[in-house]
Amino acid sequence: HERSFHGSSTCIAIPTAEAAADMQLASLKGGAALSIVCNNGKVAYMLLLSPLSRARALYSKNATTPEVALHASLDMLSSLEAAETSPGLYQQILVILDATMRKEIFEKDYDLAARHTFSTCLGIAESQMKANEISSLDESVAIRDFLWQDAFGAFSENETSISAFTRALEQAIMKQCGASDEQQFPGSETLRVPPEVMQKLVESLGSHPERIERCVIRMPIFCLDFNQVAKLCIQHNLHTTFAYLYNEGLKDALTPAVEMIRGVSRCSTADSQFNLMRKLCVYIAYCFRGMRYPPADQANTLDFGQSSGRPGGGDEALPDLVHKEEQLHLVRAQLLKLLLLCPLRQLLEAGSEVPLLASEPAVLEGPVIRLLLRVDACLCLSTLLCAFEEWDAVSGDVFAASLQLPSLESALQNESASSTALQLVVDKLSHEAEECERRGTSGMADAGCIWMFIAHQVATGRASTGATTGADLLARVLEHLCLAASTLDDLKRRESFERAALRILEEWWDMNCSTDHAQRVGKLALNTGLFLLSAKISVYRGDFASAVDFLLKYIRDLEEGKAEALEAADLAAIRDQRCAAVFKILVGLLNMEGTRRSGARDAVTSKLKEFTKIDGTRTAHLIGTIQSNDSATGSDLAGDLQLQGSNKNLENKLLTEHYIEAICQVNPDIVLSYLQRNEGNYRLDSVLKIVTSSPGRGTFRCDDAAVYLLERLGDIAGGQKIVLGVVREGLAVLSGRLSKSVGPAAGGE
């Protein structure tokens, strides 16, 4: 291959003997390298071809079979270090590739030609990126000039060859994006396909829309013919691609949702309707959370089963669409208005067929949310929750959001605003729950899901149920909560359900619910073992004795083996929570005014012993709180109201005396200290009778309290008598024990 040396400049250096061991070589700059090596006094000549020269030699030797030279050149390229490559080498490989490609096209081996073309061009781009010569694949001369210009022009001669080119392009896109089993190419940027090439890809894959979708969502938006791809998406129901186009190209989150809703309405089978409904819900949830759809990692799609919160790591923010918080606010408001306020029929195009909804005019005339609830209520409600994880707004923002459809704006202009966006959701859902119940058995499960959603929002304090709902609807919420709680084995979740029911009960009772509803819910709460709820209902109904009994059952329920699966720490925490809830209700009973005051106090004082056994500290604090509250209000009374204050003072003293009677029986050791701390809050003579008649007297444990009370009454002799009596009884006991121990000793034992 002598012509490889033409035009080379030589520089020869004879190495010294010392340098000979290092094989210091003289070099020819350009096509070859000539080495002269001293070896034991003899001169040896070695001709080393450069990579460029070897590539030229390979091509010259294999002019009729350029594919052989191409494979050998690529093998050589992959084995070279970054410093050994050069632009001339890349150009020579492209010359060999051009000859190989045109030979295979001439022989009509289009698929092989396309594979060789793409693998070689991407191989050269990979080598250039490893050598840091370029920062992205598109900067490579192999991609920019040869692949998209020379090669694309050569393959465009007929339909068969261009189909082979687009098939290889599809594989390259999937491979470069890591969607195939082969190794992903280096670099973070996607292979950018020129619009004219992308148009050919879309045209050739027209009969395989799912393959178009896989490619398009990995393409930069400027590489696409927007109108062509959008039309194809609508024609083939490529909703994911359609969402990508509008999100990336027009910064529009609303239009893809509208198109998916139309698609759900047009579905002819329940399975296809559910699948598209799920895709719609995932898309809306991603928009609510301000995340990119479709996700970069398709295997990491949003899971509604997980707790709400932004998934960590894998999902990107929607670029520009929700780059600012106010833009995300607008997107959420638009989507909520679309779901809650927009009639479904207004969205459907004229003449659209709705095979699954043709016999259900109520769904067509209702808002979009009604259709979604009909398909899958739990999925729909989970989607709505995504909007309110860390956000809420005044409902006026929802009404003011533009849906970009004039016919809809005129139909919705008379709506009135509520307090918050979440309250608007709760109000609309309450009506939809009622609509579900009208369907009979088939709609009861959906209604239950809706009531649970409403109950959760009410229990957290973020919404109320009294805005547009009546006592009948609230009764249904309570019924669903009771039934749901009765099916739970997890005691912690059961507790949360019961607290939610209590929160709703407070609003429900204020709406003057009927006696029938009260009896129905009360009976259901009792049958399902929700004793705290039963106690609260009994309080509202004025049955204070039953309320106190239910409160005791609520705490003792933990002691009857129903919490065996819980660890000691968890059980103690639940018991503490229950005690706090019980004593909160007791405070309300003891502070009750009017004609119900006497009955409430009697019911509580009759069970003070039991409450003292359950939690003596809280019981003492309860008594002290009532005393301090009434003494503070009594000091401000004047005139005729002072009589009322003196009556309350007497009631409090009676309450304290009942408590003293309870601790005499439960814990006599603390009676004296309690009397000393609360002097003036009880009647001395009454408490003396309680202490001296206490069953604990036989154990001498209340005698100190009796002596203290007698001293306070001035009966010193009576106090001394008790002390002497204690001493005599003690001596008698001591004498009896001594005689028992001395007697056997005297008998010789």
Side-chain angles (χ1 to χ4, degrees), residues 135 151 277 313 315 356 377 456 465 526 687 701:
S135 59
M277 151 82 172
D315 295 302
L356 295 181
H456 174 73
T465 54
L526 180 59
V687 175
R701 287 181 297 178

Side-chain angles (χ1 to χ4, degrees), residues 315-625:
D315 295 302
E316 312 169 47
L318 277 168
D320 299 326
L321 177 64
V322 290
H323 199 61
K324 298 180 180 179
E325 189 63 31
E326 56 267 25
Q327 292 172 320
L328 178 56
H329 176 87
L330 177 60
V331 168
R332 288 167 172 162
Q334 285 180 325
L335 291 174
L336 285 176
K337 184 174 184 179
L338 176 67
L339 296 176
L340 300 174
L341 305 177
C342 177
L344 179 60
R345 189 178 293 279
Q346 296 287 339
L347 284 182
L348 300 180
E349 297 171 337
S352 297
E353 295 184 359
V354 285
L356 295 181
L357 304 177
S359 60
E360 300 189 58
V363 176
L364 292 173
E365 300 300 332
V368 172
I369 194 73
R370 185 173 300 175
L371 170 64
L372 304 187
L373 290 170
R374 183 69 59 91
V375 178
D376 192 311
C378 291
L379 186 59
C380 175
L381 296 172
S382 299
T383 304
L384 289 175
L385 279 178
C386 294
F388 299 101
E389 291 169 349
E390 300 176 353
W391 174 85
D392 203 350
V394 294
S395 57
D397 292 347
V398 177
F399 291 115
S402 173
L403 295 183
Q404 303 169 4
L405 297 170
S407 59
L408 288 178
E409 300 299 339
S410 60
L412 302 176
Q413 63 183 0
N414 295 325
E415 291 279 354
S416 59
S418 300
S419 56
T420 65
L422 181 57
Q423 184 63 57
L424 175 64
V425 171
V426 169
D427 293 344
K428 294 297 180 182
L429 285 178
S430 63
H431 290 301
E432 294 308 314
E434 198 172 19
E435 185 66 30
C436 290
E437 291 182 340
R438 292 195 187 100
R439 289 159 44 199
T441 306
S442 62
M444 290 305 294
D446 294 342
C449 292
I450 297 173
W451 292 132
M452 292 299 298
F453 177 93
I454 294 174
H456 174 73
Q457 302 307 321
V458 173
T460 57
R462 300 185 66 188
S464 63
T465 54
T468 59
T469 57
D472 290 346
L473 296 183
L474 292 179
R476 296 190 187 105
V477 177
L478 286 170
E479 288 174 358
H480 283 291
L481 274 174
C482 292
L483 291 173
S486 66
T487 62
L488 294 175
D489 295 328
D490 187 342
L491 194 58
K492 292 182 179 179
R493 290 193 62 199
R494 184 184 174 91
E495 291 287 301
S496 66
F497 272 61
E498 190 162 13
R499 286 194 295 271
L502 281 172
R503 184 70 177 261
I504 294 173
L505 181 67
E506 294 175 0
E507 288 194 25
W508 178 55
W509 208 274
D510 290 339
M511 298 181 68
N512 299 317
C513 64
S514 66
T515 305
D516 178 63
H517 285 149
Q519 292 177 348
R520 186 175 67 188
V521 175
K523 184 177 180 180
L524 184 60
L526 180 59
N527 291 338
T528 53
L530 302 181
F531 297 119
L532 186 62
L533 184 62
S534 300
K536 196 71 173 179
I537 293 174
S538 298
V539 169
Y540 286 142
R541 297 177 62 186
D543 188 357
F544 304 118
S546 297
V548 173
D549 289 337
F550 285 133
L551 292 176
L552 291 172
K553 288 181 179 180
Y554 179 59
I555 296 180
R556 291 170 179 168
D557 190 43
L558 291 175
E559 302 169 359
E560 296 177 358
K562 295 185 179 181
E564 295 177 352
L566 290 176
E567 296 182 0
D570 292 335
L571 181 60
I574 292 177
R575 190 180 190 280
D576 186 69
Q577 290 177 358
R578 290 195 173 191
C579 286
V582 165
F583 280 90
K584 181 179 179 181
I585 294 178
L586 292 178
V587 169
L589 290 174
L590 293 176
N591 281 324
M592 197 166 287
E593 300 292 344
T595 57
R596 293 151 57 101
R597 179 182 177 89
S598 176
R601 289 212 166 202
D602 289 344
V604 175
T605 54
S606 66
K607 301 294 183 180
L608 274 179
K609 177 181 176 181
E610 284 76 7
F611 289 117
T612 304
K613 290 180 179 179
I614 291 171
D615 194 328
T617 303
R618 277 194 169 95
T619 307
H621 181 71
L622 171 69
I623 303 300
T625 301

Side-chain angles (χ1 to χ4, degrees), residues 184-226:
Q184 184 175 344
F185 281 95
S188 59
E189 289 198 25
T190 305
L191 184 66
R192 298 182 180 181
V193 183
E196 61 275 10
V197 180
M198 195 67 198
Q199 182 176 352
K200 286 291 184 183
L201 174 64
V202 172
E203 290 175 355
S204 63
L205 295 180
S207 58
H208 302 282
E210 71 284 351
R211 291 164 60 185
I212 298 177
E213 189 164 63
R214 286 193 309 166
C215 293
V216 168
I217 61 177
R218 290 171 171 83
M219 290 289 100
I221 197 67
F222 61 80
C223 296
L224 304 173
D225 184 330
F226 188 94

Side-chain angles (χ1 to χ4, degrees), residues 121-271:
C121 290
L122 291 172
I124 292 174
E126 176 185 3
S127 178
Q128 289 182 289
M129 291 192 70
K130 285 182 178 178
N132 293 322
E133 297 175 11
I134 58 175
S135 59
S136 67
L137 297 176
D138 304 301
E139 297 176 11
S140 172
V141 63
I143 302 293
R144 184 186 66 243
D145 297 335
F146 186 84
L147 183 61
W148 299 142
Q149 295 182 23
D150 299 343
F152 180 66
F155 278 93
S156 298
E157 295 178 357
N158 58 67
E159 291 298 326
T160 307
S161 60
I162 197 62
S163 295
F165 185 87
T166 54
R167 282 195 297 272
L169 173 59
E170 179 189 5
Q171 294 173 2
I173 292 172
M174 293 294 102
K175 179 180 179 180
Q176 200 275 333
C177 295
S180 68
D181 295 333
E182 301 180 34
Q183 185 177 3
Q184 184 175 344
F185 281 95
S188 59
E189 289 198 25
T190 305
L191 184 66
R192 298 182 180 181
V193 183
E196 61 275 10
V197 180
M198 195 67 198
Q199 182 176 352
K200 286 291 184 183
L201 174 64
V202 172
E203 290 175 355
S204 63
L205 295 180
S207 58
H208 302 282
E210 71 284 351
R211 291 164 60 185
I212 298 177
E213 189 164 63
R214 286 193 309 166
C215 293
V216 168
I217 61 177
R218 290 171 171 83
M219 290 289 100
I221 197 67
F222 61 80
C223 296
L224 304 173
D225 184 330
F226 188 94
N227 294 329
Q228 179 199 28
V229 178
K231 183 179 179 180
L232 195 67
C233 290
I234 296 175
Q235 180 182 352
H236 294 285
N237 295 322
L238 303 180
H239 298 289
T240 301
T241 307
F242 192 81
Y244 172 76
L245 286 176
Y246 274 80
N247 288 172
E248 296 282 343
L250 301 180
K251 317 307 176 191
D252 179 3
L254 186 65
T255 303
V258 171
E259 192 57 38
M260 288 189 199
I261 292 168
R262 290 170 176 167
V264 172
S265 304
R266 292 193 300 262
C267 288
S268 57
T269 65
D271 288 342

